[in-house]
Amino acid sequence: MQTITGNDIQYAAGLLKSGDIVAIPTETVYGLAADALNALAVAKIFEVKKRPAGNPLIVHIADIDRVHDYVANVPDDACKLMDAFCPGPLTILLPRNKRIPDVVTAGSDAVAIRIPGHPLTLDLLKLSGLALAAPSANISGYISPTKAVHVDKMLSGKIKYILDGGPCSKGIESTIVGFTDNMPVVYRAGAVSISDIEQVTGKRVTAPSQEVVTPGSRFKHYSPATPFIVADDIDTEIMKHTGLHIGVITYNIYTELIDRNDQLLLCTLNDMNTASRNLYAAMHDMDERNYDVIIARRFPQAGIGIALNDRLNRASNK
Ligand code: TXA
Ligand code: MG
């Protein structure tokens, strides 16, 4: 199968309506999309990504008004969050209605709903009239794609079309929020922070209990093939690995201990949004350079830094 990259939403819509899968851009990461109501099309996503069947998919819709087409009821707090953050990097777990096939939710009664904040994909959703089930467009366990070329690297020959919307502006996956006993629960950190959610709902966010973490968080994630280490003090970590060929991912300043050609600086100043936008591209790039080990500097544990550290920890599988 030949994989074409382009920005033709008519063509993408045609493929999706005929049951094909298409890579789509979002503001967080690229997704691998299928018509959410077509169980056979959705099954192709699991096959191409090599995704475990027990890991459900997020359903992407065009606007808030369409949520009732797929969801049994929407709690007031969910309405408030949608009004505040959608379109945007937020996914909300809501009780599904009967139209959503089991394969999408892995049998759960909750469906994950998101309105992505990317103009090309919003146009595609409107033009096609479809809801699109889409996980990140990587092979399961590997680093999520934030550029069309990342998708091509992993899925070339396996899908017909990559809709190219340029580099993702946020760069890490959406925040996932659900409700237990009417209280908001954050299952995955992202660009929408816990304090954002507390401010809008006026309620304390709780952490999920062990039994109800989202299925996806049980799996190894976001991992380069090269051994990956996260450290607060990268110089100490570099010294522990003398003699090895080391790549460094850092921010603000270079370390003086290794050649600058072996380092990627995610941002200058303390701009963690820029760091977020650049992180996965840096991980893809470093993983192609045949280092013995990649050492990444941990971010300040505040704001979006919390979500970035979560991704670094998962990449190092700690
Ligand atoms: O930013 C994002 O959310 C991107 C873009 C493409 O929208 N998508 C994404 O999808 O990150 P994925 O499949 O890589 O991660 C979705 C996570 C998984 O951990 C999955 O288990 C969880 O959401 N999830 C999806 N549907 C769920 C459901 N019905 N109940 C609980 N967890 C769910
Ligand atoms: Mg993923």
Side-chain angles (χ1 to χ4, degrees), residues 49 51 136 138 144 173 221-222:
K49 265 191 68 108
R51 184 175 177 100
S136 50
N138 50 288
S144 298
E173 300 79 357
H221 258 114
Y222 320 116

Side-chain angles (χ1 to χ4, degrees), residues 249-302:
I249 299 176
T250 186
Y251 57 90
N252 283 353
I253 59 165
Y254 291 100
T255 166
E256 297 303 322
L257 294 187
I258 62 171
D259 194 307
R260 288 198 179 182
N261 291 322
D262 293 322
Q263 303 186 47
L264 289 175
L265 206 61
L266 297 175
C267 64
T268 53
L269 307 175
N270 235 354
D271 180 4
M272 292 300 134
N273 291 319
T274 302
S276 175
R277 189 153 55 234
N278 293 329
L279 177 63
Y280 285 161
M283 286 164 69
H284 278 281
D285 182 348
M286 280 280 164
D287 205 24
E288 283 171 8
R289 298 195 198 177
N290 292 317
Y291 291 112
D292 297 320
V293 61
I294 300 167
I295 298 175
R297 182 172 168 205
R298 188 172 281 114
F299 299 96
Q301 186 69 5

Side-chain angles (χ1 to χ4, degrees), residues 180-192:
T180 303
D181 300 330
N182 275 322
M183 293 301 280
V185 180
V186 167
Y187 294 91
R188 179 174 71 184
V192 174

